[in-house]
Amino acid sequence: MRLLIMGPPGVGKGTMAKHINNVYHIPHISTGELYREAITKMTPIGKLAKDFLDRGELVPDDITVNLVKRTLKNENYQKGFLLDGFPRTIPQAQALDDILKQNNWKIDMVLNLLADDELLIERISGRRTCKKCGELYHIINKKPKIRNICDQCGGILFQRPDDNRETVAHRLKVYQEQTQSLLEYYHQRHLLRNINGAGTIEENIAEVEKILGGFNDND
Ligand code: AMP
């Protein structure tokens, strides 16, 4: 299955993608995570991308498209993938269409998670991420058992530099200006499935399961 997961920052794309990966074994590709890894390793792409991430801006399309092109060549993704955070602009969507065509692939579904800005700002600014395994926590809604320590792997929890209130507000603006128009792009192709992202993690997951559970990979 080839899926896209869309929605504003903080709506729960990462959590949902990890769940889908666990249950349906569809490999997850997050462009945000690819960039954060590249920045940590100080690769040439990481050096190019760092300022954009810090400011909550999109990394230019040519850099992002090349990153995705390269990633999708990996043999792990030949049978299916779940793209999280890509595409984010119309030119990226067009580039993805070209990649799909070249490989004789098609997107089966675009999952679009929805929630209000106020809730998203509260969620992201309280979010903490494990440095080691990427597990997500929240200072109020999902506290770790030991303060600032990951329950899963014992790694240290930190706040992503772009998860502070000001940068989050800017990321939401960037989403509205540059990414929301993509919803129409996929709606016209009859691929878009809207999902309430405002509930608890369990409620949101149940909604996605209803949609994916009835999906036949041979369709
Ligand atoms: P995310 O983890 O998806 O919220 O992405 C974090 C940051 O990575 C974004 O604010 C952008 O700076 C960058 N990024 C991730 N995906 C893309 C994309 N498809 N196009 C441009 N920039 C991206």
Side-chain angles (χ1 to χ4, degrees), residues 9 13 30-33 35-36 49 52-53 56-61 64 84-88 92 127 160 162 171:
K13 298 187 296 291
S30 151
T31 40
E33 271 176 32
Y35 276 131
R36 283 186 287 279
F52 293 99
L53 271 87
E57 298 281 351
L58 296 186
V59 182
D61 285 339
T64 305
D84 156 13
F86 182 92
R88 259 170 149 110
Q92 290 183 15
R127 180 158 77 180
R160 266 171 52 178
D162 58 343
R171 284 163 65 199

Side-chain angles (χ1 to χ4, degrees), residues 61-73:
D61 285 339
D62 54 339
I63 301 175
T64 305
V65 166
N66 276 332
L67 176 69
V68 170
K69 254 189 200 159
R70 211 153 18 100
T71 305
L72 284 176
K73 284 196 177 132

